[in-house]
Amino acid sequence: MLTSLAVFAATGALAGFLAGLLGIGGGMVLVPALIFSFEAQGVSPSVLTHLAIGTSLASIVLTSISSVRTHHAQGGVDIELFKRLAIGLVIGSWFGAQIAHALPARTLQLIIGIFAVWTGLRMFRGSKPIAADAPPPSATELNAVGGLIGVASAIFGIGGGSLMVPYLVKQGVAMRRAVGTAAACGFPIAIAGMIGFIYSGWGLSELPAGSTGYIYWPALAGIALTSMVAAHGGAVMAHRLPAQQLKRAFGVLLVLVGVRFLIGL
């Protein structure tokens, strides 16, 4: 038990730091790490991927609070933009949890790996920002984008930064402000997704003791010990590193995680 707690705490520290540094919820690190840990513990293959995703989203509730406070204190969060995205994010994340519940575990692992590689390559290459004088996105577009990112984030167990950051950068938002705003968007995604995974996994006999739906509380406790402090440190570093370096670090991370996932299949 103590060994497992130490593993979860170390994983939480890494995920929290990356959450603050890159504006992601840490899910692209947590989900694979939790899957491998649950496999080692003998959790049923039919639920372990879903359990990893649900637990990852629950942990993002914690890391996003710490990360957002730091980004906001340094002027890195566009509050108005966040408000216009939030409704779509909540609705999309709830439905994403129900979609994930309906998918087989191996299918989930496959799409997570492909998604990570695709997003990482896209971020590493960079996208051309929209001209500064281009009109801002409409409320309808932001609701739609928020909904789609919410659905995808719940399926992948992430805070949405790997989708939100490239979108905001393309809209002309400065990289550091895009990272901070994406970190804020991770909170409503995580709350709605966590509730959705509790609901969809409620009462399943294959789940291990200590679970409520697809949330595994011992893992969440270990992650919580370190993730919030580490997220603060990552957010501080995000305002000291060059923007291009942040983009490339983000891209390399996602490609490595995605390739590891696909090799594992």
Side-chain angles (χ1 to χ4, degrees), residues 163-261:
L163 293 172
M164 187 64 73
V165 171
Y167 171 74
L168 294 178
V169 169
K170 190 174 181 180
Q171 295 300 322
V173 179
M175 181 61 185
R176 290 184 180 84
R177 198 162 177 81
V179 168
T181 304
C185 289
F187 184 74
I189 287 173
I191 287 288
M194 180 183 72
I195 295 172
F197 272 94
I198 289 175
Y199 172 80
S200 62
W202 190 269
L204 292 180
S205 59
E206 301 92 337
L207 291 169
S211 302
T212 303
Y214 288 123
I215 311 298
Y216 185 57
W217 296 107
L220 183 60
I223 293 167
L225 288 174
T226 57
S227 60
M228 293 184 71
V229 174
H232 171 77
V236 171
M237 289 297 297
H239 291 270
R240 296 178 180 175
L241 296 176
Q244 189 61 33
Q245 188 174 341
L246 278 177
K247 290 182 184 180
R248 289 179 176 175
F250 198 177
V252 169
L253 168 71
L254 293 179
V255 171
L256 291 176
V257 170
V259 168
R260 179 65 184 86
F261 239 112

Side-chain angles (χ1 to χ4, degrees), residues 113-123 125 162-163 254-255:
I114 293 172
F115 162 76
V117 172
W118 174 79
T119 306
L121 291 173
R122 185 166 176 258
M123 196 67 189
R125 184 181 71 246
S162 51
L163 293 172
L254 293 179
V255 171

Side-chain angles (χ1 to χ4, degrees), residues 3-265:
T3 301
S4 296
L5 188 64
V7 170
F8 292 137
T11 303
L14 177 59
F17 181 78
L18 293 172
L21 179 66
L22 301 173
I24 62 176
M28 295 308 295
V29 175
L30 279 176
V31 172
L34 289 172
I35 287 175
F36 299 146
S37 176
F38 293 157
E39 286 177 341
Q41 293 179 40
V43 175
S44 170
S46 65
V47 299
L48 69 84
T49 303
H50 301 79
L51 191 66
I53 294 172
T55 304
S56 173
L57 286 169
S59 73
I60 290 169
V61 175
L62 304 177
T63 56
S64 65
I65 291 172
S66 177
S67 177
V68 170
R69 287 180 63 184
T70 305
H71 282 294
H72 181 61
Q74 301 195 38
V77 180
D78 188 325
I79 299 297
E80 291 305 314
L81 186 56
F82 165 75
K83 289 179 180 178
R84 293 161 69 189
L85 287 161
I87 294 177
L89 293 170
V90 168
I91 295 173
S93 185
W94 167 267
F95 281 105
Q98 311 316 308
I99 294 171
H101 171 66
L103 293 174
R106 288 183 65 84
T107 302
L108 270 179
Q109 291 185 30
L110 176 64
I111 62 177
I112 289 170
I114 293 172
F115 162 76
V117 172
W118 174 79
T119 306
L121 291 173
R122 185 166 176 258
M123 196 67 189
F124 188 82
R125 184 181 71 246
S127 56
K128 185 179 179 181
I130 290 179
D133 58 351
S138 65
T140 301
E141 177 183 339
L142 290 175
N143 283 329
V145 168
L148 291 173
I149 290 178
V151 168
S153 299
I155 292 174
F156 302 138
I158 61 175
S162 51
L163 293 172
M164 187 64 73
V165 171
Y167 171 74
L168 294 178
V169 169
K170 190 174 181 180
Q171 295 300 322
V173 179
M175 181 61 185
R176 290 184 180 84
R177 198 162 177 81
V179 168
T181 304
C185 289
F187 184 74
I189 287 173
I191 287 288
M194 180 183 72
I195 295 172
F197 272 94
I198 289 175
Y199 172 80
S200 62
W202 190 269
L204 292 180
S205 59
E206 301 92 337
L207 291 169
S211 302
T212 303
Y214 288 123
I215 311 298
Y216 185 57
W217 296 107
L220 183 60
I223 293 167
L225 288 174
T226 57
S227 60
M228 293 184 71
V229 174
H232 171 77
V236 171
M237 289 297 297
H239 291 270
R240 296 178 180 175
L241 296 176
Q244 189 61 33
Q245 188 174 341
L246 278 177
K247 290 182 184 180
R248 289 179 176 175
F250 198 177
V252 169
L253 168 71
L254 293 179
V255 171
L256 291 176
V257 170
V259 168
R260 179 65 184 86
F261 239 112
L262 296 176
I263 290 174
L265 288 174

